[in-house]
Structures are given as C-alpha cells and as structure tokens.
Amino acid sequence: MIYGAEDIFRDFLQGKDLKFTHERITVLREISRLKRHFDIEELYITLRKKDRKVSRASVYRTVPLLVESGLVEEIKTIDTHTYYEYTFGKEHHDHLICLKCGKIIEFHSEKLEHIQDEVCRKEDFSGVRHVLEIQGYCKKCG
Amino acid sequence: MIYGAEDIFRDFLQGKDLKFTHERITVLREISRLKRHFDIEELYITLRKKDRKVSRASVYRTVPLLVESGLVEEIKTIDTHTYYEYTFGKEHHDHLICLKCGKIIEFHSEKLEHIQDEVCRKEDFSGVRHVLEIQGYCKKCG
DNA sequence: TCTTATATTGAGATTGTGTCTCAATATCAA
DNA sequence: TTGATATTGAGACACAATCTCAATATAAGA
C-alpha cells in the first residue's frame, strides 16, 4: 500500500484531533498539482477558477497546517511576499535568490545540514526546520 | 578619525546620489540606540513618543536603505512579521528561533559561511547576503 | 445507521503592514 | 546664492491575513 501525501496529512490531522475535511483535501490536491512556488492568494484564485468551493479563509487556514505537517515549506523572499512550495517527495533543499531577476535556484548540501545539526546540539536546541536563503546575483544578472 | 555608522551611511547615500537628510540620520540614530530586534512600526512609534519628527513614510523608506547599506539586517520569522536588527560593529550571525516562546538565539559558524561560499561558486552565483534561521524548540521549551 | 460533541466552514468585516501621491521643502554642487 | 533634483509628510490607498459567528460537517460511539 502506497503511503502518500494525503495519508500523511490525515495522520497529522488525527494526531491533533483535527478533521480531515473536503476543503483541506482540495487544498492539498491543488498544491500538489502546482509545479512552481506559489502564494496563498494565487492558490485561492486558482481554486475559484476551477470552481472548487473553498473559501479564502479556509485556504489561508489550511496552508499553515500543511507547513506544520511537513508537506509544504515556506520560502521568504527579499520583498514582503511569502511563497510556499510543495515538498512532498522532494529532497530538502535551500534557495539562492537573484535580487535582480527574482530567479530561484535550488541547492542541497549535506555538509550544510550537518553543521546545522552541530549548532543545534551545541546550543541545546531542538531544530525542527530551517530556512536558508542566499541572496545575490545569478550568472545572467551578475 | 573614527569611522562610524553615520559615515558609512553618508558614503552609501552619496554613492547613490541620495541625500543625507535629518530624517535619515534620526532614524539611524534611533536604531543604533535600540538593543533588541525591532520592527518598523515599533521604531516609528518610538520616534513619535520622543517627539522626533519623522513621518511613517520616511521611516519605512529609510530602513530598506539601511539594509542595503549593510548597517541593518532583516530577520524573517515564522509569522508574517518582519524584524530588523542593527548590525554595525557586530559580527555576522544567524538565528535559532524557538517556535514556542519566540526566543532568539544568535550563533555564528565560520564553517557554515565557508560552505555557503562554496555553493555560490558552484552555482555561478554572486552572493550578497544570506538568511539562515533554524526553527525549533529551545532548552526550556524542549 | 443514528446521535452527539466538537471542529470547521464561509461571507464579509476588520486589522495591520506597507506603499503611493503630490505639493511643499531641503539638499548640495556649482 | 541659485537651481536642479531628491525628499518629505499627511493621508489615501492597496493588499495580505485574520477574525466573527451562525450554519454545517466530521468522526466516534451507541
């Protein structure tokens, strides 16, 4: 039996005595269809267009749950805007963000992860997740 | 002759053909007085209370300039809120943020910096600054 | 399947952050 | 001192995100 994102989400919700509602599934399904990084407003509009009936409030309420469950990650950029990314089935990665063209380059470094674990141990801190963004200029904008 | 934050800011502004105004100095001075992390709204209110005459718009316009000049850094937290920190004279550091009590622990790792440089080289990316935040639970909230 | 306690939803009001406008004013180099 | 140009401030505005609360859905037990 395949253990998919929806199973993870259901278990997560059950563990917190929250309910596995149509609205929450709809939001999760739509996110899993999106290839790129997205923001909540955009997600809501997409759902409206497809005539899926989920209110704005519910979309805004569901995304943080998905983040908490580990299926979605938050990306903060230079501007005030907050983006999200569906990360189920993807290896964890961090981002290089071009300050000029906005291009997002993904990268992963095992060494980096390792050092972060070290830092947490040293500070007696139990790390749950991290955000690492390097801002600068990509090859083209260099 | 001592080369202080105001000199750096003046030079930064001159280099961009921007003017070294009373309002900008006032904002910088107030920030340098603040010990903790701050947000712009709070900074604006503090200035009002002290009867320094700087408009909200100017405070909001000045902080990004200070970030660009390198005197101030942006800290993004889990919530939507954006915080800032006066970093002149301080060694660069990253943050551990407790998801429960909000405590912010600062740390610095030379190794971490080094690996980031490596990543940038590899991706042909010219890094300007970075944001690294590890979210989790501090000793007390463990 | 029915019941029931509890969580969730939606529509719209509301909050709060941050940006914009534009006439009046300050800056700074010549 | 002058003049070209950047900046300021007050308040309107844009927008993301949250809150309210009555109506409704969920899930577990009978």
Side-chain angles (χ1 to χ4, degrees):
Chain A
M1 177 237 175
I2 300 163
Y3 204 73
E6 288 181 27
D7 302 301
I8 292 176
F9 195 37
R10 187 177 0 82
D11 290 356
F12 167 80
L13 291 172
Q14 264 169 14
K16 304 201 83 174
D17 277 319
L18 299 177
K19 287 164 184 172
F20 193 54
T21 63
H22 291 308
E23 288 78 2
R24 286 174 177 161
I25 302 172
T26 302
V27 169
L28 170 54
R29 290 202 178 144
E30 189 56 39
I31 290 176
S32 75
R33 246 177 244 120
L34 294 170
K35 286 165 202 160
R36 326 194 103 271
H37 306 107
F38 66 92
D39 66 52
I40 303 185
E41 203 62 24
E42 179 195 331
L43 174 61
Y44 167 61
I45 291 166
T46 306
L47 285 167
R48 291 228 94 190
K49 280 191 192 153
K50 292 199 174 182
D51 213 22
R52 301 275 192 300
K53 287 177 218 90
V54 186
S55 71
R56 228 165 80 90
S58 287
V59 177
Y60 271 94
R61 283 188 283 232
T62 301
V63 172
L65 290 173
L66 288 164
V67 170
E68 224 192 312
S69 78
L71 293 168
V72 166
E73 279 182 22
E74 230 181 66
I75 309 175
K76 307 240 176 178
T77 52
I78 332 94
D79 54 59
T80 319
H81 223 86
T82 304
Y83 293 93
Y84 294 86
E85 180 181 17
Y86 182 60
T87 49
F88 175 69
K90 287 182 92 173
E91 189 186 51
H92 166 76
H93 59 262
D94 296 299
H95 299 96
L96 297 171
I97 298 181
C98 180
L99 293 169
K100 195 161 171 201
C101 71
K103 186 180 176 186
I104 297 178
I105 302 171
E106 303 177 350
F107 72 91
H108 174 78
S109 161
E110 211 39 71
K111 274 195 267 183
L112 220 50
E113 304 293 319
H114 183 73
I115 294 176
Q116 289 181 35
D117 291 345
E118 243 174 43
V119 169
C120 286
R121 263 198 303 283
K122 202 166 120 193
E123 302 285 349
D124 236 321
F125 192 84
S126 153
V128 171
R129 57 172 165 269
H130 74 260
V131 181
L132 170 55
E133 283 176 23
I134 303 179
Q135 300 165 5
Y137 299 94
C138 73
K139 198 175 177 175
K140 239 190 334 193
C141 300
Chain B
M1 178 234 174
I2 300 163
Y3 204 73
E6 289 181 27
D7 301 301
I8 292 176
F9 196 36
R10 188 179 358 84
D11 289 356
F12 167 80
L13 291 172
Q14 264 169 13
K16 305 200 83 176
D17 276 319
L18 299 178
K19 287 163 183 171
F20 193 53
T21 64
H22 291 308
E23 287 79 2
R24 287 177 176 159
I25 301 172
T26 301
V27 169
L28 171 54
R29 289 201 178 144
E30 190 55 39
I31 290 176
S32 74
R33 246 176 243 120
L34 294 170
K35 286 165 202 161
R36 326 196 102 270
H37 306 108
F38 66 92
D39 66 53
I40 302 185
E41 203 63 24
E42 181 194 330
L43 173 61
Y44 167 61
I45 292 166
T46 306
L47 286 167
R48 291 229 94 189
K49 280 189 192 155
K50 293 198 173 182
D51 213 22
R52 300 275 192 298
K53 287 177 221 89
V54 186
S55 71
R56 225 166 79 90
S58 287
V59 178
Y60 272 94
R61 285 188 282 232
T62 302
V63 172
L65 289 173
L66 288 164
V67 171
E68 224 192 312
S69 77
L71 292 167
V72 166
E73 280 182 22
E74 228 180 69
I75 309 175
K76 308 238 176 178
T77 52
I78 333 94
D79 54 58
T80 318
H81 222 86
T82 304
Y83 294 93
Y84 294 86
E85 182 181 14
Y86 182 61
T87 49
F88 175 68
K90 288 182 92 173
E91 190 186 52
H92 166 77
H93 60 262
D94 296 299
H95 299 96
L96 296 170
I97 298 182
C98 180
L99 293 169
K100 195 162 171 200
C101 71
K103 187 180 176 186
I104 298 178
I105 302 171
E106 303 176 351
F107 73 91
H108 174 79
S109 162
E110 211 41 69
K111 274 195 268 184
L112 221 50
E113 304 293 320
H114 183 73
I115 294 177
Q116 289 181 35
D117 291 345
E118 244 174 43
V119 168
C120 286
R121 262 199 303 282
K122 202 167 122 191
E123 303 285 348
D124 236 319
F125 191 84
S126 153
V128 171
R129 56 172 165 269
H130 73 259
V131 182
L132 170 56
E133 283 176 24
I134 303 179
Q135 301 164 6
Y137 300 94
C138 72
K139 198 174 175 176
K140 239 191 333 194
C141 300

